[in-house]
């Protein structure tokens, strides 16, 4: 069985919905809170003609969440089916995506090789566009924003996936995925077509369905090894190149601003 690790909420805002025409990509990554101490921020300077990379990852992991000097940003949401695929390790694929300069190139990199697990990649670009790639064992689909807004959590949204007879197991494991998706989508659409960093931060702090809301907190009723919380929260203004990073729950900690320069 494909093992899903963590529940996450990702939000993409294309330039036709962002304030002053800015585009954004935002994400809360939820997993075991102990992972907060393992998180590192890396600035990778490349001399091979490929873009420089600002990457947030766990120590020892080759590729994860990031934003590069070509203006491309990448987030991961866990997906799974009841049949384990075989192929390229997920984090190597993510590192390859962060070497890309366009959305089309990033899609090609994401699906060039069969992955060793199901995955959802939300990708945005400073050109004002964003896409979402759902990948299962042998097939993928690409979702595009509706009215400039794109939201994904931890279940397959494409009507084409997963291919039968495979079944989506993540939606059964993380049933809060449906509420987080609907809640984030509803709240962001209420903001209209003038969405700012502050608007997105407000949504990433949302506690409806506490403790398993968009801003996730440990559920003390769960065994200690199964408790999850928001490990980090991140927003990138793709147009301006500003990176807002919060280690821990964004309701408790402030966002710090980074750039690639």
């Amino acid at each position: 069985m494909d093992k899903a690790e963590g529940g996450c909420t990702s939000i993409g805002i294309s330039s036709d919905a962002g304030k002053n025409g800015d585009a954004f990509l935002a994400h809360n990554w939820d997993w075991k809170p102990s992972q907060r101490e393992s998180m590192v921020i890396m600035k990778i300077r490349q001399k091979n003609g490929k873009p420089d990379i600002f990457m947030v990852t766990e120590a020892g992991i080759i590729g994860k969440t990031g934003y590069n000097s070509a203006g491309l940003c990448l987030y991961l949401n866990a997906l799974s089916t009841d049949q384990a695929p075989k192929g390229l390790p997920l984090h190597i694929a993510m590192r390859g995506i962060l070497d890309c300069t366009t959305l089309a190139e990033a899609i090609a990199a994401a699906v060039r090789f069969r992955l060793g697990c199901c995955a959802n990649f939300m990708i945005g670009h400073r050109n004002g566009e964003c896409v979402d790639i759902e990948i299962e064992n042998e097939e993928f689909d690409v979702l595009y924003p509706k009215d400039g807004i794109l939201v994904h959590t931890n279940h397959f949204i494409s009507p084409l996936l997963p291919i039968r007879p495979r079944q989506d197991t993540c939606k059964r494991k993380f049933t809060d995925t449906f509420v987080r998706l609907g809640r984030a989508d509803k709240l962001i659409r209420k903001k209209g077509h003038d969405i700012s960093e502050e608007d997105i931060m407000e949504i990433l702090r949302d506690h409806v369905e506490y403790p398993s809301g968009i801003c996730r907190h440990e559920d003390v009723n769960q065994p200690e090894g199964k408790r999850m919380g928001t490990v980090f929260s991140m927003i990138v203004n793709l147009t301006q190149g500003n990176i807002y990073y919060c280690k821990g729950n964004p309701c408790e900690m402030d966002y710090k601003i980074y750039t690639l320069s």
Side-chain angles (χ1 to χ4, degrees), residues 9-229:
T9 303
S10 297
I11 299 171
I13 307 296
S14 60
S15 57
D16 49 336
K19 187 174 183 179
N20 299 320
D22 287 354
F24 303 91
L25 217 68
H27 182 73
N28 274 3
W29 186 57
D30 306 330
W31 187 224
K32 297 177 181 179
S34 59
Q35 288 296 99
R36 293 170 185 160
E37 301 309 312
S38 301
M39 302 309 297
V40 295
I41 293 174
M42 302 174 63
K43 289 186 178 181
I44 303 170
R45 307 296 183 187
Q46 304 203 83
K47 298 180 180 180
N48 54 5
K50 295 180 180 180
D52 295 336
I53 298 171
F54 176 99
M55 189 165 67
V56 178
T57 186
E58 298 125 289
I61 300 295
I62 193 170
K64 202 68 175 278
T65 296
Y67 174 70
N68 71 22
S69 57
L72 187 141
C73 184
L74 167 67
Y75 296 133
L76 167 71
N77 295 70
L79 294 175
S80 66
T81 68
D82 56 355
Q83 296 179 30
K86 297 178 181 179
L88 188 72
L90 172 69
H91 298 101
I92 294 178
M94 294 183 74
R95 182 62 182 80
I97 294 170
L98 287 173
D99 276 344
C100 297
T101 61
T102 69
L103 291 174
E105 185 183 351
I107 294 170
V111 302
R112 183 172 293 123
F113 302 102
R114 185 171 174 177
L115 292 184
C117 65
C118 300
N120 183 82
F121 298 133
M122 185 174 285
I123 306 173
H125 198 280
R126 69 180 173 204
N127 63 13
E129 299 294 343
C130 52
V131 296
D132 190 272
I133 313 169
E134 292 185 350
I135 302 174
E136 65 109 61
N137 303 49
E138 299 169 351
E139 192 54 274
F140 74 95
D141 198 9
V142 179
L143 309 177
Y144 196 72
K146 294 181 179 179
D147 300 320
I149 295 170
L150 183 61
V151 179
H152 208 286
T153 50
N154 298 105
H155 62 281
F156 287 95
I157 297 173
S158 168
L160 305 177
L161 301 176
I163 302 296
R164 294 183 180 275
R166 289 185 289 274
Q167 298 292 318
D168 182 340
T169 53
C170 222
K171 70 181 182 182
R172 291 177 171 83
K173 183 177 181 180
F174 300 116
T175 51
D176 53 85
T177 179
F178 301 104
V179 182
R180 287 185 286 114
L181 178 73
R183 180 76 178 163
D185 187 75
K186 178 177 72 173
L187 292 177
I188 203 72
R189 291 185 188 281
K190 280 186 175 182
K191 302 294 183 181
H193 284 75
D194 198 24
I195 299 166
S196 67
E197 293 94 333
E198 290 77 17
D199 292 328
I200 299 170
M201 289 177 187
E202 179 184 339
I203 292 163
L204 294 178
R205 295 182 178 117
D206 188 72
H207 284 146
V208 165
E209 288 288 293
Y210 181 93
S212 58
I214 296 171
C215 182
R216 185 185 292 270
H217 291 257
E218 291 186 81
D219 186 349
V220 296
N221 295 316
Q222 291 289 326
E224 188 170 346
K226 293 186 177 181
R227 295 177 190 174
M228 294 202 305

Side-chain angles (χ1 to χ4, degrees), residues 22-28 41 54 56 65 67 73 75 196-201 204-205 232-248 250 253-260:
D22 287 354
F24 303 91
L25 217 68
H27 182 73
N28 274 3
I41 293 174
F54 176 99
V56 178
T65 296
Y67 174 70
C73 184
Y75 296 133
S196 67
E197 293 94 333
E198 290 77 17
D199 292 328
I200 299 170
M201 289 177 187
L204 294 178
R205 295 182 178 117
F232 72 86
S233 181
M234 181 171 165
I235 303 166
V236 176
N237 184 319
L238 301 166
T239 308
Q240 303 295 331
N242 293 326
I243 303 161
Y244 302 83
Y245 175 77
C246 171
K247 182 178 178 180
M253 308 297 292
D254 294 328
Y255 287 88
K256 296 182 179 180
I257 302 177
Y258 297 85
T259 63
L260 252 174

